[in-house]
Amino acid sequence: MKTKRAKNYGFCFGVKRAIQLAEQNRNAITIGPLIHNQKEIDRLKFNFGVNVESDITKINKDSKVIIRTHGIPKNDLQALNDANRDVVDATCPYVKKPQQICEQMSNEGYEIVIFGDKEHPEIKGVASYCTSNYQIILDKADITGLNSHSKVAIISQTTKNVRAFLEIVHFLVEHCYEVRVFNTICNATFDNQESAEILAKEVDIMIVVGGKQSSNTKQLLNISSKFCKDSYCIEDENELQDEWFKGKSLCGITAGASTPDWIIDKVEQKIRNLQP
Amino acid sequence: MKTKRAKNYGFCFGVKRAIQLAEQNRNAITIGPLIHNQKEIDRLKFNFGVNVESDITKINKDSKVIIRTHGIPKNDLQALNDANRDVVDATCPYVKKPQQICEQMSNEGYEIVIFGDKEHPEIKGVASYCTSNYQIILDKADITGLNSHSKVAIISQTTKNVRAFLEIVHFLVEHCYEVRVFNTICNATFDNQESAEILAKEVDIMIVVGGKQSSNTKQLLNISSKFCKDSYCIEDENELQDEWFKGKSLCGITAGASTPDWIIDKVEQKIRNLQP
């Protein structure tokens, strides 16, 4: 079976950086999983002694603490610093940015609209930097309390869709006096999506490699399915099923932003060995 | 012939205010025509001695100077003040606002994008308040020199269409780091357009009363024509033609933002006296 990888796929800049930091800090503890990929978490534990602890109060006082790519709430970071903990901040710089914007816009008296999922750790972290009024919304219908005198700043969860973000911007521009738009959507997510679409159009079957919990992996599967009906999501090569490939000749491969290359390599190798 | 007026039509707040100021300042000089309606200019001259002079250097030193609704460039206003001229500022507050925004955003180091017509006096005035980089554009294709690090402030000519404005905002949000959007589009223009559309759908013939040079009058005619094919633009009742009304029973009436009520009254009276 022939294979073709998407032009852009897999790890983004922020994840590569976080893994590098973990590898450089053996035996450190990450607050929650560093990235959304259990196999990579296992590799870091096995090869570098990096462990996961979700409860901040349970972390051994002598361990280095790694803050994961999504960031953590301001108060938690403050508590770690106040306790003189040895903190390695692996928060993605593209997530730091909306945190800083929320803090600055609060100081300047703007009402803040955050386009994102209330329950996502990135958004919990980002919102914690707002000191003035803010609202976390997914749809313009959720927006409340604004009027034609309102001065609003809007940011987005880094992994959201730009078109949906622009719909919210539309609504705000039509209803508010001033709208300060910070496009905090990360291009990496975007580039992977665009590449998946292009590839899905030219292959017979698409394999999306990524964690079942990863929202950007789900989006890649959705996009692939639109343009190639035989699209499947797997976590590793063991989930591949021979019957998917019957009668196919070209298999496209893409991967979520938290999927390490070594997993993608194994998947590709196994597909290449299949008989079409 | 029965008639029905649009819910909103004619003079906006800024024009009403400018005429009031002209009436209160007999024998003053306006720099350029106060509004885009020759008959109202004639009335102000005949009843209140208010004259028009386009060349600022030719204005009699003892005359009061009225600045018209569209505003004038910053340097011209400065020159009048430096010469201790008695200035009555009839610039529409909705035009003052984008002037102030351009000044403030320049001071804060934003690149300024002005959505409007380069040759329109309002835009010449507004742009004169920019002290940093600015560009006047009508289409996103005209935008130059911006990148993903750009901090941009955008304003609109008060009479522009909000959808077209939002298209430019879209483009900027997709391409720049921060976009500060000031929706300086005036609702009055909007309200008149919306009311014209609603009325045009229910009548047999539409009469749009307004100056031939007025851009908002032209827009009202365009909108009316879309929903009522027998739509006509006239400057006063003398331009009405009997044959337009043959076989019609209900005539809708709207008017541009610079059309005084006394002209609309005369038009309506004449139409009412027509036999359908």
Side-chain angles (χ1 to χ4, degrees):
Chain A
M1 171 72 57
K2 274 195 267 183
T3 60
K4 185 171 180 183
R5 292 194 190 195
K7 190 179 167 207
N8 297 288
Y9 63 89
F11 277 0
C12 62
F13 160 76
V15 168
K16 280 182 190 156
R17 179 175 164 273
I19 288 170
Q20 222 166 30
L21 285 169
E23 290 176 351
Q24 288 163 1
N25 290 279
R26 284 176 174 272
N27 306 316
I29 305 285
T30 69
I31 308 174
L34 190 70
I35 62 170
H36 273 152
N37 184 290
Q38 191 53 46
K39 303 208 186 305
E40 180 66 9
I41 302 295
D42 292 345
R43 188 187 70 91
L44 289 171
K45 182 173 179 173
F46 189 78
N47 293 352
F48 299 90
V50 173
N51 278 286
V52 179
E53 175 55 72
S54 294
D55 186 345
I56 208 164
T57 61
K58 288 188 187 156
I59 299 172
N60 184 313
K61 290 211 178 335
D62 301 318
S63 300
K64 271 193 184 170
V65 178
I66 299 179
I67 293 170
R68 59 186 180 155
T69 48
H70 303 120
I72 55 171
K74 193 182 176 186
N75 287 345
D76 291 348
L77 182 61
Q78 192 59 50
L80 289 168
N81 286 327
D82 288 348
N84 284 319
R85 299 303 299 263
D86 194 351
V87 174
V88 178
D89 194 350
T91 307
C92 172
Y94 294 126
V95 174
K96 276 272 177 209
K97 206 78 221 173
Q99 290 178 351
Q100 290 161 350
I101 291 166
C102 283
E103 192 157 38
Q104 194 189 332
M105 289 303 103
S106 293
N107 291 340
E108 294 186 26
Y110 286 81
E111 171 103 19
I112 296 168
V113 174
I114 298 171
F115 174 50
D117 303 303
K118 273 191 183 69
E119 299 307 323
H120 194 286
E122 174 188 321
I123 292 305
K124 285 184 180 173
V126 165
S128 73
Y129 285 81
C130 295
T131 55
S132 61
N133 282 348
Y134 72 92
Q135 43 194 309
I136 302 169
I137 54 115
L138 278 173
D139 189 274
K140 62 186 178 190
D142 303 334
I143 298 171
T144 54
L146 300 179
N147 59 46
S148 60
H149 299 287
S150 296
K151 289 170 66 183
V152 181
I154 175 165
I155 58 136
S156 173
Q157 188 171 334
T158 52
T159 46
K160 285 286 169 207
N161 177 286
V162 75
R163 269 181 231 134
F165 179 61
L166 284 167
E167 263 184 43
I168 314 279
V169 170
H170 256 204
F171 179 85
L172 292 174
V173 169
E174 282 179 333
H175 291 84
C176 303
Y177 168 66
E178 180 190 348
V179 187
R180 249 171 123 159
V181 189
F182 296 87
N183 182 356
T184 52
I185 294 170
C186 175
N187 282 334
T189 313
F190 235 172
D191 294 344
N192 285 3
Q193 288 175 4
E194 202 176 80
S195 299
E197 178 175 331
I198 292 167
L199 184 60
K201 284 174 180 165
E202 65 169 293
V203 298
D204 307 309
I205 171 170
M206 273 290 281
I207 297 297
V208 181
V209 193
K212 304 280 188 211
Q213 291 177 49
S214 154
S215 76
N216 82 81
T217 300
K218 279 181 218 157
Q219 273 181 293
L220 285 177
L221 181 66
N222 283 341
I223 289 166
S224 297
S225 301
K226 259 190 210 164
F227 301 99
C228 172
K229 69 179 174 45
D230 293 305
S231 294
Y232 303 92
C233 177
I234 57 169
E235 292 210 348
D236 64 27
E237 75 281 8
N238 298 315
E239 293 181 21
L240 288 169
Q241 296 182 25
D242 286 3
E243 63 262 33
W244 294 346
F245 297 89
K246 274 181 192 148
K248 316 289 187 197
S249 60
L250 180 60
C251 172
I253 300 173
T254 184
S258 302
T259 307
D261 273 351
W262 60 269
I263 293 185
I264 304 166
D265 291 344
K266 282 188 182 175
V267 167
E268 185 167 38
Q269 202 46 56
K270 188 161 176 189
I271 296 173
R272 282 198 179 157
N273 290 335
L274 289 172
Q275 294 306 320
Chain B
M1 172 72 56
K2 274 195 266 182
T3 60
K4 184 172 180 182
R5 293 194 189 194
K7 189 179 167 208
N8 297 288
Y9 62 90
F11 277 0
C12 61
F13 160 76
V15 167
K16 279 182 189 155
R17 179 175 164 273
I19 288 170
Q20 220 166 29
L21 285 169
E23 289 176 353
Q24 288 164 0
N25 289 280
R26 286 176 173 271
N27 306 315
I29 305 285
T30 69
I31 308 174
L34 189 69
I35 62 170
H36 273 153
N37 185 291
Q38 191 53 47
K39 302 209 185 308
E40 181 66 8
I41 302 295
D42 292 345
R43 186 187 72 91
L44 289 171
K45 181 173 181 173
F46 189 77
N47 292 353
F48 299 91
V50 173
N51 278 286
V52 180
E53 175 55 70
S54 294
D55 186 346
I56 208 164
T57 61
K58 286 187 186 156
I59 300 172
N60 184 314
K61 290 211 178 334
D62 301 319
S63 300
K64 270 193 184 170
V65 179
I66 299 178
I67 294 170
R68 59 187 180 153
T69 49
H70 304 120
I72 55 170
K74 192 181 178 185
N75 287 345
D76 290 349
L77 183 60
Q78 193 58 50
L80 288 168
N81 286 329
D82 289 349
N84 285 319
R85 300 301 300 262
D86 194 351
V87 174
V88 178
D89 194 352
T91 307
C92 173
Y94 294 126
V95 174
K96 277 272 177 209
K97 205 77 220 174
Q99 290 177 351
Q100 289 161 349
I101 291 167
C102 282
E103 194 157 36
Q104 195 190 331
M105 290 302 105
S106 294
N107 290 340
E108 295 187 23
Y110 286 81
E111 170 103 20
I112 296 167
V113 173
I114 299 171
F115 174 49
D117 303 302
K118 274 191 181 70
E119 299 306 323
H120 194 286
E122 174 188 322
I123 292 305
K124 285 184 181 173
V126 165
S128 72
Y129 284 81
C130 295
T131 55
S132 61
N133 282 349
Y134 72 93
Q135 43 194 307
I136 302 169
I137 54 114
L138 277 173
D139 190 275
K140 62 186 177 188
D142 303 334
I143 298 171
T144 55
L146 300 179
N147 59 48
S148 59
H149 299 287
S150 297
K151 290 171 65 184
V152 181
I154 175 164
I155 59 137
S156 172
Q157 188 170 334
T158 52
T159 46
K160 286 285 168 207
N161 177 287
V162 77
R163 270 181 230 134
F165 179 61
L166 284 167
E167 266 186 42
I168 314 281
V169 170
H170 258 203
F171 179 85
L172 292 174
V173 169
E174 282 179 332
H175 291 84
C176 303
Y177 168 66
E178 180 190 348
V179 187
R180 250 172 121 158
V181 189
F182 296 88
N183 183 355
T184 51
I185 294 169
C186 175
N187 282 335
T189 312
F190 237 170
D191 293 343
N192 284 3
Q193 288 174 5
E194 201 175 78
S195 299
E197 179 176 330
I198 292 167
L199 184 59
K201 284 172 180 166
E202 66 168 293
V203 299
D204 307 308
I205 172 171
M206 273 291 279
I207 297 296
V208 181
V209 193
K212 303 282 189 212
Q213 290 176 50
S214 154
S215 76
N216 82 79
T217 300
K218 279 180 218 157
Q219 275 181 290
L220 285 177
L221 181 65
N222 282 342
I223 289 166
S224 297
S225 301
K226 259 191 208 164
F227 301 97
C228 173
K229 67 177 174 47
D230 293 304
S231 293
Y232 304 92
C233 177
I234 57 169
E235 292 210 348
D236 64 27
E237 76 280 7
N238 298 316
E239 294 181 20
L240 288 169
Q241 295 180 27
D242 287 3
E243 63 262 34
W244 295 345
F245 298 86
K246 273 177 195 151
K248 316 288 187 198
S249 61
L250 180 60
C251 173
I253 299 174
T254 184
S258 302
T259 308
D261 273 350
W262 58 269
I263 293 185
I264 304 166
D265 291 344
K266 281 189 183 174
V267 167
E268 185 167 40
Q269 203 46 54
K270 189 159 175 189
I271 296 172
R272 281 195 178 159
N273 290 336
L274 288 171
Q275 294 308 319

